[in-house]
Every structure is written in structure tokens, then in C-alpha cells.
């Protein structure tokens, strides 16, 4: 049965290969000073930077550059961004990049007018913003996180070996996001597949929970099928617009809060992945793929009927003359074969994790209670060890 909920997603999306022109419609809504947030330079190589600058200039904006947002943005970089915003009295934070730029923009947005230490306030104490919030806009260049239409912001603190996400409310979500699938063509294949697995796992995290009949689970199955189908086309032909546009759109729907409505959610693969990321700084989607199978095989007995449904509905495993356990295992095997076809990381050793990190990673793993089994620290150690 669906539990009670409210739903509103205020982010305006512009989708398609001509979508950047709509930046002209959005910019007049904000003041003159625009903090242009981007990463390590990919947007300068693929021409997106020049195109955005041209539109900003045509709209008479003062452009304040804030570059060098790294994958898995750090707390140090966050302070840099806050200072830039304060010194320039910015009116709009425009993130041009992947989830890291968009997440970072949100963390800056809630910190510019806040006197507390942002790491402590938002990522340790999980308080909500009580200050003025600077609006965020996004030009997305990588499909995966869903950050373009949600309130999530993940910041890494290497000193404390912690990577923590805060899901902010509607007032922090991007005011608008521009999604041009062609902007993702220049991504290296490794990033493309990491993004694809991130999308798939976001859906799994919201699917593997509950035993009721729930509309959200049917939506999740449809999205998973679309991602599997398009992913196999995209890895063979990265410039297949149909596949890349479906992947980009699925990414947004996988984590814009819709498919979690009315049900509990798991998110333990992400908690494990974030702990691995805090120690290795590995690519987010790869940290998830590397821990997924040991985790799902461990919890399968506690949620057997959903794993059986996953096998038959998502992977078309036939159920004739087989036990539920066999069907569920075949489903996970099919997922494993797909992951290998994509070339995903299948263990954490290949991401730089070593045995001596396991204890610390387990310590850094937040334990959530929405899935089929609330893990103990010993069980987390077991799963991480099986992921080596
Ligand atoms: O920095 P540049 O030079 O731009 O290069 C980036 C970066 O190296 C490159 N890239 C992006 N678009 C490109 C491109 N290269 C060529 N052509 C393009 N069009 O790709 C690399 C990865 O980018 P990044 O933004 O780090 O990737 P992603 O979108 O996966 O974001 C990862 C971050 O998002 C967090 C992750 O933990 C991680 O910190 N997440 C945010 C979530 C949310 N807001 O809801 C949920 C997710 O589960 C996730 O935790
Ligand atoms: Zn993710």
C-alpha cells in the first residue's frame, strides 16, 4: 500500500539537442552576477564553455569564473566557492558539468549567507538551511546522478575519510536544468558506463524494499529495462542519439524523487560506495558496481520475493520448474553479465582499495534501515571483504 506523501518538483527542464538556447529565457530572471561553475576543463575542449559564455555575454551578465570542481567535490573547494560567491555578491550559480558541479553549486548555495561551518551544519548535523539561498541553474554534461532535478549534494572530506550526501528541499533544487544529450558525447567511455550504472543503482536502491504492491516499483522496472536496452547500444555506438537521450532522461527520472514516493528505500549500496569513495576517491558509479553483487547476494534471502520479481520482470528469467531462490540467483547473474559487458568495476581492489582499509570503510559507512536487512558493522565488513 502506498504510504502518504506530498510531491512537487520545481525544477524546470529543457531537454534536447537545441536546449542550450533556452538559457536565454532563464538568465533575465536573475541579477547581473553569475558564478560560472565548472570542472577540470572538459567544457573548454568540447565547445560548451564558449557557447555558454556567448549566451551569458549576450544577456549582459558579469561572469565570475569558478573552475576546478573535481569529481567528488571536497570541503576545501566548497570554501573556495563560498568565498568567490561572497566577494562577488553573486545572483546565480550556474553549474556547467556533471553531478559534481551541480552538487557543489547546491552546497555553495546554502552556505553563502550562512555563518556556521557548512560541513558541520549540513553534512554532520544534517540541519536544514535557515539563511537566504542563492539560486542554482545547471547545464548538464554527464548523465548519471540526477542532481539536475533533485536536492542532493554530496561533499567529500578527505581529512575525515568521509563522503556525505545531504538531500536538501525544493528551495535548493536547481531552478532550471538544460539537458542536451549531445553534450554527453565527449565523455570517455569509462565515465559513460559509470553514469549508466549510477542510474541503474539509483533505481535498485528505491526498488529493493517493501513487500507491497506499489506503483513506484512498476515505474522502476520500466526505467531499468530502458537503461539496460539503451546502455548496450550506447557502448557500441556512443553517438547513437536515441540511446544517449534515453539514458539522459532515465537518469533524471531515476532520482528526481518520483519513484521513491509512497515506499521505503534502501540506499545501502550508496552508503558502501561512498565509504569506498572516501578512501579511494574512485569514480562514484564504479564504487557502486564494485560492491553491488556482494551486497545484493547477501541480502537476497531477506527480500527473496522482490529479487524473484526483479529476475522475471527486468531480466526475463523464466520461472518454470525452478525454486524462488534459483530464479532470484539467475536474475543477479544476468545483472552481473550485463555489468561485465559494460566494463564496470567488479571489485574494490581495482579501485585502489586494500584489506587494511576495510575496518575504516566500515566505520565510515552510514547504516540505513529502509531495506530488507539492517546491517551490523560485522556484516558490512563481510560485504566489503567479499568486494575486494
Ligand atoms: O571536470 P571535467 O573536466 O568537466 O571532467 C568531468 C569529470 O572528470 C568529466 N566530464 C563530465 N562531462 C563531460 C566530461 N568529460 C568529457 N565530456 C563531458 N561532456 O567526467 C568526470 C566525472 O564528472 P562528475 O561530475 O564527477 O560525475 P558525476 O556526474 O557522476 O558526479 C559524481 C558526483 O555526484 C555525486 C557523487 O557522489 C559524486 O560526488 N552524487 C550525487 C547525487 C545527487 N545529487 O543526487 C546522487 C549520486 O548518487 C551521487 O552520490
Ligand atoms: Zn549514485
Amino acid at each position: 500500500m502506498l504510504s502518504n506523501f506530498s510531491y512537487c518538483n520545481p525544477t524546470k527542464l529543457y531537454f534536447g539537442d537545441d536546449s542550450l538556447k533556452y538559457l536565454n529565457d532563464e538568465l533575465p530572471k536573475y541579477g547581473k552576477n553569475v558564478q560560472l561553475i565548472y570542472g577540470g576543463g572538459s567544457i573548454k575542449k568540447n565547445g560548451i564553455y564558449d557557447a555558454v559564455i556567448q549566451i551569458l555575454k549576450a544577456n549582459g551578465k558579469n561572469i565570475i569564473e569558478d573552475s576546478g570542481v573535481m569529481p567528488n567535490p571536497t570541503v576545501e573547494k566548497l570554501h573556495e566557492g563560498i568565498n568567490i560567491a561572497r566577494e562577488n555578491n553573486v545572483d546565480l550559480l550556474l553549474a556547467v558539468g556533471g553531478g559534481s558541479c551541480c552538487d557543489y553549486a547546491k552546497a555553495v548555495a546554502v552556505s553563502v549567507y550562512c555563518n556556521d561551518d557548512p560541513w558541520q551544519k549540513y553534512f554532520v548535523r544534517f540541519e536544514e538551511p535557515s539563511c537566504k539561498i542563492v539560486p542554482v541553474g545547471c547545464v548538464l554534461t554527464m548523465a548519471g546522478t540526477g542532481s539536475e532535478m533533485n536536492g542532493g549534494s554530496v561533499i567529500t572530506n578527505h581529512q575525515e575519510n568521509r563522503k556525505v550526501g545531504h538531500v536538501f528541499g525544493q528551495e535548493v533544487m536547481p531552478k532550471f536544468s538544460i539537458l542536451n544529450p549531445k553534450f554527453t558525447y565527449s565523455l570517455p567511455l569509462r565515465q559513460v558506463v559509470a553514469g549508466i550504472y549510477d542510474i541503474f543503482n539509483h533505481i535498485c536502491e528505491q526498488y529493493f524494499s517493501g513487500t507491497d504492491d506499489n506503483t513506484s516499483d512498476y515505474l522502476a522496472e520500466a526505467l531499468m529495462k530502458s537503461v539496460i536496452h539503451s546502455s548496450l547500444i550506447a557502448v557500441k555506438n556512443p553517438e547513437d542519439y536515441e540511446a544517449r537521450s534515453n539514458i539522459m532522461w532515465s537518469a533524471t527520472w531515476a532520482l528526481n524523487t518520483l519513484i521513491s514516493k509512497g515506499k521505503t528505500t534502501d540506499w545501502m549500496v550508496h552508503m558502501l560506495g561512498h565509504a569506498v569513495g572516501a578512501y579511494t576517491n574512485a569514480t562514484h558509479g564504479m564504487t557502486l558496481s564494485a560492491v553491488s553483487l556482494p551486497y545484493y547476494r547477501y541480502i537476497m534471502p531477506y527480500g527473496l520475493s522482490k529479487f524473484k520479481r526483479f529476475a522475471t520482470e527486468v531480466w526475463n528469467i523464466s520461472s518454470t520448474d525452478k525454486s524462488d531462490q534459483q530464479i532470484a540467483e539467475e536474475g543477479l547473474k544476468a545483472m552481473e553479465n550485463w555489468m561485465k559487458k559494460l566494463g564496470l568495476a567488479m571489485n574494490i581492489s581495482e579501485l585502489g582499495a586494500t584489506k587494511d582499509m576495510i575496518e575504516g570503510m566500515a566505520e565510515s559507512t552510514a547504516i540505513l534501515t529502509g531495506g530488507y536487512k539492517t546491517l551490523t558493522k560485522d556484516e558490512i565488513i563481510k560485504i566489503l571483504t567479499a568486494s575486494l
Side-chain angles (χ1 to χ4, degrees):
M1 190 188 76
L2 287 167
S3 58
N4 302 347
F5 60 87
S6 71
Y7 181 63
C8 172
N9 193 314
T11 302
K12 179 157 188 175
L13 295 181
Y14 297 96
F15 190 95
D17 62 359
D18 68 345
S19 51
L20 188 61
K21 70 179 184 208
Y22 296 104
L23 190 52
N24 288 301
D25 293 359
E26 289 297 328
L27 289 176
K29 298 178 188 168
Y30 306 95
K32 239 178 146 40
N33 299 329
V34 178
Q35 185 161 336
L36 178 63
I37 290 168
Y38 58 99
S42 71
I43 63 164
K44 290 202 168 164
K45 290 191 201 127
N46 57 23
I48 299 171
Y49 173 86
D50 288 341
V52 169
I53 291 282
Q54 201 184 8
I55 296 174
L56 286 167
K57 283 188 177 159
N59 282 273
K61 301 295 180 186
N62 291 331
I63 304 165
I64 301 111
E65 297 224 5
D66 179 5
S67 63
V69 177
M70 60 292 282
N72 313 319
T74 62
V75 71
E76 290 81 9
K77 178 64 191 163
L78 171 59
H79 282 287
E80 203 181 299
I82 297 166
N83 289 337
I84 295 172
R86 284 180 182 159
E87 281 160 17
N88 295 280
N89 199 14
V90 304
D91 301 301
L92 174 69
L93 297 160
L94 183 63
V96 184
S100 292
C101 288
C102 197
D103 278 19
Y104 164 86
K106 294 175 208 165
V108 172
V110 294
S111 305
V112 179
Y113 293 98
C114 169
N115 294 325
D116 286 350
D117 174 71
W119 172 257
Q120 289 296 327
K121 181 176 171 70
Y122 299 122
F123 300 94
V124 177
R125 299 198 300 271
F126 287 97
E127 288 170 15
E128 294 312 318
S130 47
C131 56
K132 177 178 157 187
I133 297 163
V134 182
V136 170
C138 169
V139 177
L140 194 67
T141 66
M142 165 154 178
T145 63
S147 189
E148 65 275 13
M149 205 185 190
N150 70 35
S153 174
V154 182
I155 297 294
T156 298
N157 185 326
H158 286 296
Q159 252 182 354
E160 295 183 14
N161 281 324
R162 286 177 64 79
K163 180 174 182 184
V164 181
H166 184 129
V167 182
F168 292 100
Q170 287 169 28
E171 63 289 355
V172 185
M173 290 183 186
K175 300 290 175 219
F176 63 90
S177 284
I178 290 174
L179 278 62
N180 180 343
K182 287 189 176 166
F183 285 0
T184 68
Y185 284 178
S186 55
L187 274 162
L189 191 60
R190 190 178 158 79
Q191 290 294 342
V192 175
V193 297
I196 289 169
Y197 192 73
D198 194 20
I199 303 166
F200 191 81
N201 191 255
H202 291 160
I203 308 168
C204 291
E205 299 276 33
Q206 297 163 93
Y207 181 73
F208 287 117
S209 52
T211 51
D212 55 335
D213 186 51
N214 189 309
T215 307
S216 294
D217 288 334
Y218 296 94
L219 293 172
E221 285 162 358
L223 281 171
M224 285 194 267
K225 286 193 224 179
S226 173
V227 173
I228 295 162
H229 177 78
S230 297
S231 67
L232 293 170
I233 297 168
V235 291
K236 283 209 188 104
N237 180 10
E239 300 209 357
D240 186 305
Y241 185 81
E242 188 171 55
R244 294 302 284 271
S245 56
N246 281 324
I247 289 168
M248 198 172 210
W249 193 219
S250 301
T252 305
W253 282 100
L255 197 49
N256 70 359
T257 74
L258 177 84
I259 63 165
S260 65
K261 288 301 153 200
K263 67 180 305 237
T264 58
T265 53
D266 184 357
W267 292 106
M268 275 313 294
V269 169
H270 270 67
M271 296 306 103
L272 292 160
H274 283 179
V276 173
Y279 275 76
T280 62
N281 203 25
T283 299
H284 172 65
M286 295 298 187
T287 64
L288 306 177
S289 62
V291 300
S292 279
L293 283 157
Y295 174 70
Y296 287 130
R297 290 197 166 118
Y298 188 79
I299 61 154
M300 193 182 76
Y302 303 94
L304 192 57
S305 67
K306 189 55 109 12
F307 279 91
K308 179 187 169 195
R309 177 172 162 176
F310 177 66
T312 56
E313 298 305 313
V314 179
W315 297 102
N316 298 321
I317 303 294
S318 105
S319 55
T320 327
D321 299 331
K322 289 175 199 158
S323 68
D324 288 359
Q325 166 96 5
Q326 261 176 320
I327 299 163
E329 277 168 6
E330 283 184 31
L332 288 180
K333 188 70 199 160
M335 181 171 97
E336 182 176 359
N337 292 341
W338 168 70
M339 291 166 76
K340 285 181 175 163
K341 257 191 218 160
L342 294 190
L344 290 160
M346 299 305 286
N347 60 66
I348 59 174
S349 304
E350 60 184 286
L351 302 176
T354 48
K355 205 167 184 247
D356 57 302
M357 293 177 185
I358 298 286
E359 177 73 30
M361 282 178 184
E363 201 57 61
S364 174
T365 304
I367 297 174
L368 305 178
T369 57
Y372 288 120
K373 168 88 177 77
T374 301
L375 298 179
T376 62
K377 191 179 156 199
D378 283 350
E379 288 173 315
I380 289 173
I381 289 176
K382 227 185 242 176
I383 291 163
L384 287 170
T385 305
S387 306
L388 272 170

